[in-house]
């Protein structure tokens, strides 16, 4: 179950972006059923952004604040369930509804086929030709027929011209990157400067990403299991968000694929419970939730050996007061 629902009195705070008017009205109509509050402005206090676009300012803010961005299907599934459900299966893919076109001599035929598969896997569409349906032109330099066409034609003014690093960063992070940070800009005509030489494609995407079409993050080789009874609801929600940002695969149930069992603030002191769970996951290490938070802070895969979970020391009760010696009792 979704962690925030651990407290029956808690209410989800939902904002929307890019939804059709009918869906907005339906969402407002179902707020009592789902025990949610729909607000017009996205703030860090929001728990979800229900969206149908990855190009809005709200989307970029949600990514910055690590607020889950879900499709409207999450609302429909929650209504079927009778209450909000875990959002994991309904998160927007980073290239949701984007149409990507490529330009540049550094893209070989094999590169284009590989990138086309990546784009489709991440929720977008690939277009070999540049037309008004395209949302992004990915190019290695401020030159070429497609680049000049995009700059000249009014029907293509909405197309964002970005470097290959934008595509690699969006796929690697699992969230659409801000195109302004990767915009292709031609040098001023009067400067006499040539456009900078493009970086080799492998340096942008990485050999693993190009060859296997798998985004590479620093914890992408980890499979984590979060026992619900081992963490309080707010911490569990936070840990799941961190895991998504680190490229982790989250296993809802223990299995032989799990590499780490993450225990939080309610794991208790009964080590036998977690030792039995670990026996069902032969490869897994029992780690404190601090390991994941530190990995996220350092943006690195830290050794689990330094964060192995140990049961807390049981609290010792102070010894009862001793009666005074007999002589003192007589004196009293």
């Amino acid at each position: 179950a979704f962690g925030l629902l651990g407290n029956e009195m808690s209410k989800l705070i939902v904002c929307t972006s890019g939804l059709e008017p009918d869906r907005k009205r339906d969402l407002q109509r179902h707020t009592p059923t789902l025990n949610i509050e729909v607000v017009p402005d996205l703030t860090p206090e929001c728990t979800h952004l229900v969206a149908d676009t990855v190009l809005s300012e709200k989307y970029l803010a949600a990514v910055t604040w690590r607020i889950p961005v879900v499709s409207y299907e999450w609302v429909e599934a929650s209504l079927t369930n009778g209450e909000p459900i875990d959002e994991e299966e309904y998160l927007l893919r980073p290239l949701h509804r984007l149409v990507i076109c490529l330009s540049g001599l550094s893209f070989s035929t094999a590169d284009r086929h590989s990138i086309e598969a990546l784009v489709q896997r991440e929720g977008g569409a690939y277009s070999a030709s540049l037309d008004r349906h395209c949302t992004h032109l990915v190019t290695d330099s401020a030159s070429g027929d497609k680049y000049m066409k995009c700059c000249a034609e009014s029907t293509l003014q909405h197309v964002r011209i970005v470097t290959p690093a934008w595509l690699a960063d969006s796929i690697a992070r699992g969230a659409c990157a801000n195109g302004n940070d990767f915009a292709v800009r031609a040098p001023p005509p009067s400067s006499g400067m040539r456009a900078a030489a493009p970086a080799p494609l492998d340096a942008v995407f990485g050999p693993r990403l190009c060859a296997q079409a798998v985004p590479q993050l620093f914890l992408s080789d980890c499979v984590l299991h979060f026992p619900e009874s081992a963490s309080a609801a707010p911490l569990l929600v936070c840990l799941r968000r961190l895991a998504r940002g680190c490229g982790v695969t989250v296993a809802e149930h223990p299995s032989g694929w799990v590499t780490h069992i993450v225990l939080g603030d309610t794991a208790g002191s009964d080590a036998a419970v977690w030792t039995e769970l670990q026996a069902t996951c032969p490869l897994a290490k029992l780690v404190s939730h601090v390991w994941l938070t530190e990995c996220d802070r350092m943006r690195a895969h830290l050794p689990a050996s330094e964060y192995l979970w140990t049961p807390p020391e049981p609290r010792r009760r102070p010894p009862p007061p001793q009666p005074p010696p007999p002589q003192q009792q007589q004196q009293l």
Side-chain angles (χ1 to χ4, degrees):
F2 183 50
L4 283 178
L5 303 178
N7 179 359
E8 294 182 358
M9 297 303 294
S10 63
K11 177 178 286 191
L12 302 186
I13 304 175
V14 175
C15 189
T16 64
S17 179
L19 294 187
E20 296 178 358
D22 289 347
R23 288 191 161 181
K24 281 186 178 182
R25 286 192 291 269
D26 286 344
L27 181 60
Q28 289 281 2
R29 185 161 51 87
H30 294 304
T31 52
T33 304
L34 298 177
N35 189 31
I36 63 176
E37 177 184 357
V38 180
V39 296
D41 300 318
L42 188 76
T43 67
E45 287 70 35
C46 291
T47 60
H48 294 78
L49 177 65
V50 180
D52 197 29
T53 178
V54 295
L55 298 179
S56 67
E57 293 296 329
K58 288 182 180 180
Y59 175 87
L60 294 175
V63 171
T64 301
W65 294 328
R66 298 193 175 186
I67 297 171
V69 184
V70 295
S71 66
Y72 189 79
E73 284 70 25
W74 173 76
V75 177
E76 295 175 329
S78 297
L79 287 171
T80 302
N81 187 59
E83 63 178 7
I85 62 174
D86 183 15
E87 77 277 5
E88 195 75 29
E89 297 181 9
Y90 302 93
L91 297 172
L92 283 196
R93 303 304 300 161
L95 305 181
H96 176 74
R97 297 187 66 183
L98 301 186
V99 181
I100 311 299
C101 183
L102 298 180
S103 175
L105 297 176
S106 63
F107 295 109
S108 67
T109 301
D111 291 333
R112 291 172 187 268
H113 288 316
S114 176
I115 292 173
E116 179 179 1
L118 279 171
V119 168
Q120 292 174 349
R121 189 195 69 187
E122 299 302 331
Y126 176 83
S127 176
S129 59
L130 180 65
D131 56 34
R132 61 185 180 84
H133 300 293
C134 294
T135 60
H136 290 76
L137 175 65
V138 178
T139 179
D140 53 11
S141 64
S143 61
D145 293 342
K146 290 180 180 178
Y147 175 84
M148 301 305 294
K149 179 181 179 182
C150 197
C151 294
E153 295 190 10
S154 59
T155 57
L156 300 176
Q157 291 303 304
H158 65 281
V159 177
R160 305 185 183 204
I161 308 175
V162 293
T163 66
W166 168 83
L167 186 58
D169 188 70
S170 297
I171 295 172
R173 291 196 307 150
C176 187
N178 189 340
N180 294 333
D181 297 334
F182 299 90
V184 175
R185 295 182 176 87
S190 60
S191 67
M193 296 174 58
R194 287 186 175 184
L201 195 62
D202 284 353
V204 176
F205 282 86
R208 179 182 175 190
L209 185 62
C210 287
Q212 301 182 21
V214 176
Q216 184 177 14
L217 290 176
F218 52 91
L219 293 183
S220 61
D221 56 345
C222 297
V223 180
L224 272 54
H225 175 58
F226 299 95
E228 292 189 0
S229 60
S231 301
L235 177 61
L236 186 60
V237 172
C238 179
L239 292 176
R240 284 179 173 271
R241 289 181 184 175
L242 290 182
R244 286 196 299 271
C246 298
V248 163
T249 298
V250 177
E252 295 299 331
H253 306 285
S255 70
W257 297 102
V258 173
T259 59
H260 299 76
I261 299 173
V262 182
L263 303 183
D265 51 353
T266 60
S269 59
D270 189 357
V273 174
W274 308 120
T275 303
E276 291 177 7
L277 178 62
Q278 189 179 24
T280 65
C281 309
L283 302 177
K285 298 180 177 66
L286 282 176
V287 296
S288 164
H289 68 281
V290 177
W291 170 75
L292 180 57
T293 58
E294 284 299 293
C295 287
D296 177 70
R297 185 177 69 86
M298 301 297 294
R299 308 304 291 174
H301 188 163
L302 302 178
S305 57
E306 300 179 13
Y307 300 91
L308 296 178
W309 180 81
T310 55
E313 291 286 339
R315 292 184 179 181
R316 297 181 179 179
R317 294 183 178 181
Q322 297 295 324
Q327 292 183 351
Q328 292 183 2
Q329 287 182 345
Q330 292 176 0
Q331 293 176 0
L332 294 173

